[in-house]
Amino acid sequence: MSLDKSAIKTAIRKEWAYLVVAVVGLVYSVLCYFDLFHFVACPSKLIYHIPCPSCGSTRALMKILHGDIIGGIMFNPNVVLLILLIVSIPILFYLRYTSCPNVFRRIDRGITRWYVLIPFAIFEICIWVRNLYVGM
């Protein structure tokens, strides 16, 4: 079985893009934690003045990092998903590049099923309506 070189290059670029996004997010979170960086990063909020479902997630994460778990979740429930991503991305990279690529493939196939994506979409729509109501 021969592998197409362009497909391999595309896959490597995609993996590096995920890693760069994770590192930038981590650096941004550390800078915000120490109050060294203040920036409104939401394009929806900047351009249309409409909050997106993730508006307030950084502030909610900061509340949780400072010990106010309930306050962080009430600020934006998406913080639960954000914490899951922060924890799971390094684990998924480890599974992908060690002796467990089959486990990674099974997880990847599982989270892209309709019965996972539909509840996630409903959850995000509810958070968006909540953010519009609260006026994030």
Side-chain angles (χ1 to χ4, degrees):
M1 180 175 143
S2 69
L3 296 173
D4 183 22
K5 288 184 181 184
S6 65
I8 293 172
K9 286 181 182 180
T10 303
I12 290 172
R13 272 192 227 118
K14 184 178 176 183
E15 298 298 328
W16 275 104
Y18 289 144
L19 185 61
V20 167
V21 168
V23 169
V24 168
L26 179 64
V27 169
Y28 176 74
S29 296
V30 169
L31 290 174
C32 287
Y33 179 78
F34 292 110
D35 291 328
L36 299 173
F37 190 65
H38 300 283
F39 177 69
V40 178
C42 180
S44 175
K45 186 83 168 180
L46 288 172
I47 297 169
Y48 305 113
H49 305 290
I50 299 172
C52 70
S54 65
C55 276
S57 293
T58 303
R59 289 173 281 176
L61 183 61
M62 294 304 115
K63 281 184 174 271
I64 287 177
L65 290 176
H66 286 116
D68 186 9
I69 295 170
I70 301 298
I73 292 172
M74 290 184 69
F75 200 81
N76 190 332
N78 262 341
V79 75
V80 175
L81 297 174
L82 183 62
I83 290 171
L84 285 173
L85 281 174
I86 289 170
V87 170
S88 67
I89 285 177
I91 293 169
L92 290 174
F93 268 103
Y94 175 77
L95 290 174
R96 174 108 169 125
Y97 293 112
T98 61
S99 60
C100 308
N102 291 332
V103 174
F104 176 82
R105 271 190 234 111
R106 285 188 13 223
I107 292 171
D108 189 40
R109 272 189 256 129
I111 61 175
T112 57
R113 303 275 184 193
W114 68 268
Y115 50 81
V116 174
L117 294 177
I118 298 289
F120 175 75
I122 292 169
F123 178 71
E124 289 301 311
I125 290 169
C126 290
I127 291 176
W128 199 347
V129 169
R130 178 200 165 271
N131 284 354
L132 288 171
Y133 179 74
V134 172
M136 293 298 268

